[in-house]
Amino acid sequence: MQNKHDKRTKKDKLVKHKTIASIVTPLGEGGIGKIMVSGPNAFTIVNKIFAGKGIADLQNAVNQKLYYGYIHDKGQRLDEVILHIIRKEDSFTGEDIVEINCHGGIRVVMRIYECLQSSGAKGVPWEALLQQSFENNKMDFVQKEAFQTIVQAHTKLGVKVLLDQHAGALSSALRQGLEIIEGIERAFHKESWYHGAVIHTDQHEGEEKSLILNLAREGREALLDEQEILSSLENHIRCLLETASLGTALTTPQVLVILGKPNVGKSTLINAILGEERMLVHHEPGTTRDYVSELISVYGVPFEIVDTAGIRDTEDTLESMGIEMALEQLQRADKVMAVFDNSKPFDQEDAEILSALSSWSMKKSSDDLHQNVNTYKIVPVINKCDLTVRLDRKKIESAVTQPLCSISARNREGLEDVKERLVGELGTTYKPMRPIVFTRRQYCLLVKADVVVKQVKSYLSTGDKTCMISGLIDELKKIFTACLEGHRYD
Ligand SMILES: Nc1nc2c(ncn2[C@@H]2O[C@H](COP(=O)(O)OP(=O)(O)OP(=O)(O)O)[C@@H](O)[C@H]2O)c(=O)[nH]1
Ligand SMILES: [Mg+2]
């Protein structure tokens, strides 16, 4: 958990912390419950309520050792516990820690937690431990964000990627960015200085003049350096931005809505993807009456997959309510699988699906692109390809931009292609310790940095507004530091 990263950007001031107590296991029935006490008075506070076997005073406890005993309140035993002592030099918060492992369940844990508070600890949510760690320079803001997000990870890939970011993969890439910016700054100052010298060339004669000409040449080299370093920064930012669609897809499941007229095999397709017969499938059209949603993992990327009622004109009140709900679900979709039946001719109902999709994509594309890390997408699926073709595919092909996927949901054929289409562009083959942008905050800051770099590049190449460059380089530094340290940047 510990990380001895470069603390250059962090203030050196020592934060005097309160001693805090936090329940770090979920409150509910379970084998054990754990409360962490962290801060300068952790040992003194726990001493007041702990009667240990073979230890009278926790101040004398050995670092990284376990101690058995009882927690008591006003002479009454509350629970049998095992304490884990971690002294501040080894703890992830940078403070002395006592971990109290007690019996699980809400009552026991809450009683001990209350006791700790009456003995002087401040009761806090578990995230406050991370804040303490951050303030004590044990992790930077990005590492803290990674830690906070791991608990919400839905897939193994998500955990793997976030653990690497917690270990500092993205932080090192951001620090590398800062180093490049410092290089640009040095090159820029060198160039301005030479440029200043060149201006006075006419006032010099003989040797002095040749010295100045040399300086002028070096000045031009510095300018070339600058352009080169700027391009490498631009490239560095672009590579990081490209990882954001995978990073954010791993931390926030995208909504995948399955749309199609009744009986095309939507529920069968979802069951095939889920790999189990969970949803109701029937040969009569109109089986799915409202919508059903499930969390699925497609090659390690989580999706909330939503099965909807088939869309058609109907007199049935219940069914038309379901159709209304399907269209409502479409509004919150990030991705849509539009399903068509290979064994039936293209009809009015299919045309209505295409028209609903066209309004949906129009609305999606008008959303600010920078606001959406992951772009919307329609995957057109032709199901029941095991049956004789009666569908006019051209009608669908002309209305959608993506190529059609041919499948047989019943026979589980063609599913790999469908899944590949959903995550293909994310690049799910992950190399260990690869820096991945995984929050919108990081993404938006890097988008801003990209805009500033492009501005500097254009001012440099046109020789326009060069007086602004130094200020813009400062902006770049601020953006990267804000990303690493969590400062506000507007
Ligand atoms: N031959 C064949 N039949 C399929 C295939 N996929 C689904 N079916 C059949 O088509 C019928 C309808 O399937 P569902 O999955 O309930 O269709 P749906 O689109 O969810 O229907 P609604 O919920 O009524 O809108 C069932 O009898 C399925 O067994 C396929 O790939 N090939
Ligand atoms: Mg259905």
Side-chain angles (χ1 to χ4, degrees), residues 209-221:
K209 190 164 182 174
S210 80
L211 175 71
I212 295 300
L213 285 173
N214 267 345
L215 285 175
R217 193 173 54 242
E218 282 177 40
R220 274 195 300 278
E221 275 162 17

Side-chain angles (χ1 to χ4, degrees), residues 460-472:
L460 258 184
S461 61
T462 57
D464 224 22
K465 301 190 191 165
T466 39
C467 55
M468 308 267 291
I469 292 178
S470 168
L472 289 173

Side-chain angles (χ1 to χ4, degrees), residues 122-408:
K122 184 174 188 299
V124 290
W126 70 269
E127 289 90 341
L129 292 161
L130 296 184
Q131 183 60 22
Q132 217 178 38
S133 174
F134 170 66
E135 284 169 7
N136 282 338
N137 283 326
K138 292 284 173 178
M139 59 175 93
D140 61 38
F141 199 79
V142 171
Q143 291 174 303
K144 177 172 169 263
E145 283 176 312
F147 200 125
Q148 263 166 310
T149 327
I150 287 171
V151 298
Q152 295 154 7
H154 300 280
T155 62
K156 277 193 260 181
L157 180 63
V159 173
K160 203 187 322 180
V161 168
L162 289 167
L163 274 176
D164 284 353
Q165 309 319 305
H166 176 60
L170 178 59
S171 307
S172 333
L174 291 170
R175 272 194 292 281
Q176 217 176 313
L178 267 172
E179 274 163 25
I180 305 177
I181 297 167
E182 278 160 15
I184 295 170
E185 197 173 35
R186 277 194 301 274
F188 179 69
H189 287 312
K190 199 164 140 197
E191 190 259 320
S192 323
W193 185 81
Y194 287 133
H195 188 65
V198 175
I199 289 168
H200 302 294
T201 309
D202 295 345
Q203 300 161 16
H204 295 82
E205 294 296 330
E207 273 176 27
E208 270 181 325
K209 190 164 182 174
S210 80
L211 175 71
I212 295 300
L213 285 173
N214 267 345
L215 285 175
R217 193 173 54 242
E218 282 177 40
R220 274 195 300 278
E221 275 162 17
L223 186 71
L224 282 178
D225 271 5
E226 248 169 60
Q227 289 284 15
E228 227 166 77
I229 311 173
L230 270 170
S231 300
S232 85
L233 180 64
E234 194 181 22
N235 201 28
H236 190 69
I237 296 172
R238 188 180 46 77
C239 287
L240 287 177
L241 281 173
E242 277 171 8
T243 67
S245 41
L246 174 64
T248 51
L250 288 174
T251 51
T252 322
Q254 294 172 78
V255 178
L256 167 64
V257 169
I258 316 293
L259 216 62
K261 69 182 179 188
N263 215 40
V264 290
K266 300 180 292 298
S267 303
T268 311
L269 170 58
I270 295 192
N271 286 338
I273 291 177
L274 284 172
E276 52 188 292
E277 300 285 314
R278 202 172 306 159
M279 280 173 224
L280 194 59
V281 178
H282 200 265
H283 62 275
E284 287 296 322
T287 314
T288 307
R289 293 286 177 129
D290 51 13
Y291 72 90
V292 187
S293 88
E294 282 276 349
L295 209 59
I296 58 160
S297 160
V298 179
Y299 300 133
V301 179
F303 284 92
E304 182 193 339
I305 192 167
V306 184
D307 185 17
T308 61
I311 294 179
R312 66 164 172 185
D313 256 340
T314 177
E315 297 290 302
D316 183 321
T317 335
L318 203 60
E319 196 184 340
S320 52
M321 276 167 69
I323 293 169
E324 215 168 282
M325 269 187 220
L327 294 171
E328 256 172 53
Q329 290 304 308
L330 179 62
Q331 295 320 310
R332 60 182 204 102
D334 299 301
K335 304 259 184 307
V336 178
M337 258 195 236
V339 188
F340 301 89
D341 188 338
N342 180 58
S343 67
K344 300 255 168 63
F346 184 89
D347 60 14
Q348 185 51 32
E349 288 171 355
D350 290 315
E352 272 161 31
I353 301 287
L354 288 176
S355 124
L357 286 175
S358 143
S359 340
W360 177 76
S361 44
M362 235 139 65
K363 187 180 167 294
K364 284 278 168 180
S365 62
S366 70
D367 289 354
D368 179 2
L369 274 181
H370 287 326
Q371 297 302 308
N372 293 319
V373 182
N374 275 299
T375 45
Y376 71 93
K377 190 178 198 178
I378 297 167
V379 180
V381 176
I382 312 298
N383 188 29
K384 306 196 189 180
C385 288
D386 53 299
L387 301 178
T388 315
V389 190
R390 293 186 65 205
L391 180 73
D392 182 359
R393 290 172 165 241
K394 289 207 177 64
K395 293 237 165 58
I396 301 163
E397 273 162 349
S398 61
V400 293
T401 50
Q402 295 281 325
L404 311 185
C405 279
S406 301
I407 66 158
S408 166

